[in-house]
Amino acid sequence: MPLHRAARASIGSIMSSLQLYTAWKDDILIPWKKREPESFKTGWELLVADRGGFIFEPKLGFHMDVVEVDFTSMFPMLMLTRNISAETVLCKCCPDSKIRVPELGYNICEKRKGIVPKTLDLLLKKRLKYKSLMKETSDVRLRQAYDLRQSALKWILVTCFGYLGYRNARFGKVDAHIAVCAFARDALLKTARLAEEHGFEVVHGIVDSLWIKKAGVTPREVADFCREASSLVGVPLNVEGKYRWIVFLPSKILPEVPVLNRYYGVFEDGRIKMRGIEARRTDTPELIKKAQLEMIKVLSGAFSYEDFVKRIPAALQVLRGYAEKLLRGDISVEELLVSKRLSKHPQDYAHDVFQAVAAKQLLAAGFDVYPGQTVRYLIVDADNRSPNNRVKAAELLNGRQRFDAQKYLEMLLEAGETLFSVFGYDLERIRSHVVYGEKQLVLG
DNA sequence: AATGGAACATGCGATGACTT
DNA sequence: AAGTCATCGCATGTTCCATT
């Protein structure tokens, strides 16, 4: 198996178990052990699966005084420091070993250092060195070089963890893989507890990252906490940044359920961080991306909840500006193109999904179309009875081109809904802000 | 009043892309 | 790996209207 596939799979095994969380929220039975939350002040629900990590339920909506912290190279570091290797976990030579895997109780060899930790040692040292060199260097080009090297090493390390989970890999052993996950859960759990002891509230957490909140928190307090956590767990804990504010978003299908991979926020230095929303997706047209990002920028200047909420109408004005431009046709076609990667040959599509229609058009025009390729298309008339008239492939567009303004308008509104539904702005309310405004007439 | 059909709405499983 | 979300297309339900 190629390295990158193993790396992906290893991340996948963690993510997959995390995502089951939402299924659990929906009362679907899954083979999980659920931890009793009685030992926590804030009563989060913590979930465990054999190969999975912890998550802490994101607390819906707007937060201030939130700091994001994460462990660097958590999994390789655990493999190194806990001496986890195919031949050390459940070794035959020391069944009575004092070193035990949390939750599972597996014994770990006390006599030998495992081959995997031995190997990781140098890689980890090199990566940490490059990271510290990065911070010390002022030369931009050199810094970039260090950055590339440390991130290359990161992937090698991740891959080592991935391979540990494969029976067929030379140094693979499922029990060792599970042991790493158990240590990781233990580490995050302990860190969260420590955070609470330090007066923080955990507002979100996932595998190796925690979002912790405390009113008027100082950099000093955070640094102290990180140092203490690092030594407690034996893995360095870094500050990703302090948020000016952050918003955790709900599921669109179950509006009362928070989802763990959709949020947006602004760091103190003005940097925007967002996950899962339209502006982050590669299949969103530029226009919608720009509109959503610009809305967040309007909000980014807010330094209080009241200020934030007051700015929402202004953000919707921005959206309105985009809608007006759209309806005037005052935009380039480029901004409206949707990009999708084909997963199969055009003729293998069972449904007339947009990307399949566009691909077939290209095929008919003599273009080479193959799976894995990205097709770009303009939405011409989304609801047209004939699928072929619904979209037009980018390559086949000519000078004057009609497009489905209503459809794009809906997409704009939905981008707004994503951001503001937690604040009571549903699609129709946003529509009334953006589309009608003062244009509504009164009959006398 | 009953029937039938067109147009439209709603629900649902399948499909597909993207995300972490 | 398995989640979210959007979409498709079919089945079914609803409404309206003309016809019987």
Side-chain angles (χ1 to χ4, degrees), chain A residues 111-128:
Chain A
K111 293 175 185 155
R112 299 172 293 174
K113 187 171 178 186
I115 187 159
V116 174
K118 268 185 196 167
T119 313
L120 290 177
D121 201 4
L122 183 62
L123 291 168
L124 277 163
K125 277 185 183 144
K126 275 192 165 185
R127 175 157 190 247
L128 287 179

Side-chain angles (χ1 to χ4, degrees), chain A residues 122-186:
Chain A
L122 183 62
L123 291 168
L124 277 163
K125 277 185 183 144
K126 275 192 165 185
R127 175 157 190 247
L128 287 179
K129 186 69 185 172
Y130 280 131
K131 284 194 98 168
S132 69
L133 278 171
M134 250 176 73
K135 280 184 189 154
E136 292 163 15
T137 319
S138 52
D139 181 349
V140 181
R141 278 180 56 91
L142 203 54
R143 239 160 98 155
Q144 209 173 11
Y146 289 143
D147 196 24
L148 289 169
R149 287 177 202 180
Q150 73 85 12
S151 78
L153 285 165
K154 173 183 175 164
W155 281 102
I156 294 172
L157 290 164
V158 169
T159 308
C160 291
F161 169 62
Y163 266 124
L164 199 59
Y166 281 94
R167 205 174 358 153
N168 297 335
R170 193 160 306 251
F171 303 109
K173 184 169 181 177
V174 179
D175 302 305
H177 194 268
I178 291 172
V180 179
C181 295
F183 273 115
R185 291 192 294 267
D186 191 52

Side-chain angles (χ1 to χ4, degrees), chain A residues 12-262:
Chain A
S13 71
I14 301 208
M15 283 305 171
S16 62
S17 51
L18 298 184
Q19 312 255 359
L20 283 175
Y21 156 81
T22 316
W24 169 79
K25 288 288 288 186
D26 209 13
D27 283 339
I28 297 166
L29 275 179
I30 48 165
W32 284 50
K33 293 172 272 178
K34 191 177 132 195
R35 285 232 169 155
E36 289 307 317
E38 82 270 358
S39 52
F40 310 105
K41 287 180 191 166
T42 45
W44 331 290
E45 306 290 351
L46 302 179
L47 297 167
V48 189
D50 276 357
R51 304 239 211 162
F54 266 140
I55 28 163
F56 299 86
E57 178 176 318
K59 302 205 166 165
L60 273 184
F62 180 94
H63 298 274
M64 294 190 68
D65 302 305
V66 172
V67 178
E68 181 181 345
V69 292
D70 37 33
F71 288 104
T72 32
S73 300
M74 161 104 101
F75 289 75
M77 282 298 279
L78 288 172
M79 289 157 77
L80 174 69
T81 58
R82 270 63 167 185
N83 191 25
I84 299 173
S85 193
E87 76 280 18
T88 55
V89 172
L90 291 171
C91 74
K92 295 280 190 293
C93 56
C94 11
D96 301 320
S97 165
K98 295 275 185 302
I99 313 167
R100 296 280 159 172
V101 178
E103 300 169 22
L104 310 165
Y106 297 168
N107 59 297
I108 295 177
C109 193
E110 286 177 312
K111 293 175 185 155
R112 299 172 293 174
K113 187 171 178 186
I115 187 159
V116 174
K118 268 185 196 167
T119 313
L120 290 177
D121 201 4
L122 183 62
L123 291 168
L124 277 163
K125 277 185 183 144
K126 275 192 165 185
R127 175 157 190 247
L128 287 179
K129 186 69 185 172
Y130 280 131
K131 284 194 98 168
S132 69
L133 278 171
M134 250 176 73
K135 280 184 189 154
E136 292 163 15
T137 319
S138 52
D139 181 349
V140 181
R141 278 180 56 91
L142 203 54
R143 239 160 98 155
Q144 209 173 11
Y146 289 143
D147 196 24
L148 289 169
R149 287 177 202 180
Q150 73 85 12
S151 78
L153 285 165
K154 173 183 175 164
W155 281 102
I156 294 172
L157 290 164
V158 169
T159 308
C160 291
F161 169 62
Y163 266 124
L164 199 59
Y166 281 94
R167 205 174 358 153
N168 297 335
R170 193 160 306 251
F171 303 109
K173 184 169 181 177
V174 179
D175 302 305
H177 194 268
I178 291 172
V180 179
C181 295
F183 273 115
R185 291 192 294 267
D186 191 52
L188 198 70
L189 186 59
K190 281 182 176 150
T191 310
R193 278 185 176 146
L194 187 66
E196 286 201 334
E197 281 167 26
H198 280 249
F200 289 99
E201 175 194 5
V202 175
V203 287
H204 185 26
I206 177 169
V207 186
D208 60 358
S209 308
L210 282 174
W211 284 259
I212 55 178
K213 176 177 178 177
K214 180 156 122 182
V217 62
T218 63
R220 179 64 182 276
E221 282 179 297
V222 177
D224 284 346
F225 162 68
C226 283
R227 198 174 329 104
E228 212 175 305
S230 300
S231 73
L232 175 72
V233 173
V235 178
L237 183 68
N238 305 308
V239 183
E240 172 78 7
K242 186 182 171 202
Y243 287 93
R244 203 175 279 174
W245 49 258
I246 185 167
V247 179
F248 295 112
L249 300 175
S251 158
K252 285 206 167 174
I253 294 162
L254 301 166
E256 71 281 4
V257 175
V259 290
L260 49 105
N261 45 17
R262 314 188 94 219

Side-chain angles (χ1 to χ4, degrees), chain A residues 61-63 243 245-249 261-267 272-277 292 295-297 299-300 308 312 415-423:
Chain A
F62 180 94
H63 298 274
Y243 287 93
W245 49 258
I246 185 167
V247 179
F248 295 112
L249 300 175
N261 45 17
R262 314 188 94 219
Y263 60 84
Y264 64 98
V266 181
F267 286 112
I272 289 170
K273 180 164 183 178
M274 52 197 176
R275 290 291 120 103
I277 63 178
Q292 196 176 48
M295 282 192 281
I296 298 178
K297 279 186 182 153
L299 302 164
S300 71
F308 179 92
I312 292 179
E417 189 192 23
T418 298
L419 298 183
F420 303 134
S421 68
V422 254
F423 303 105

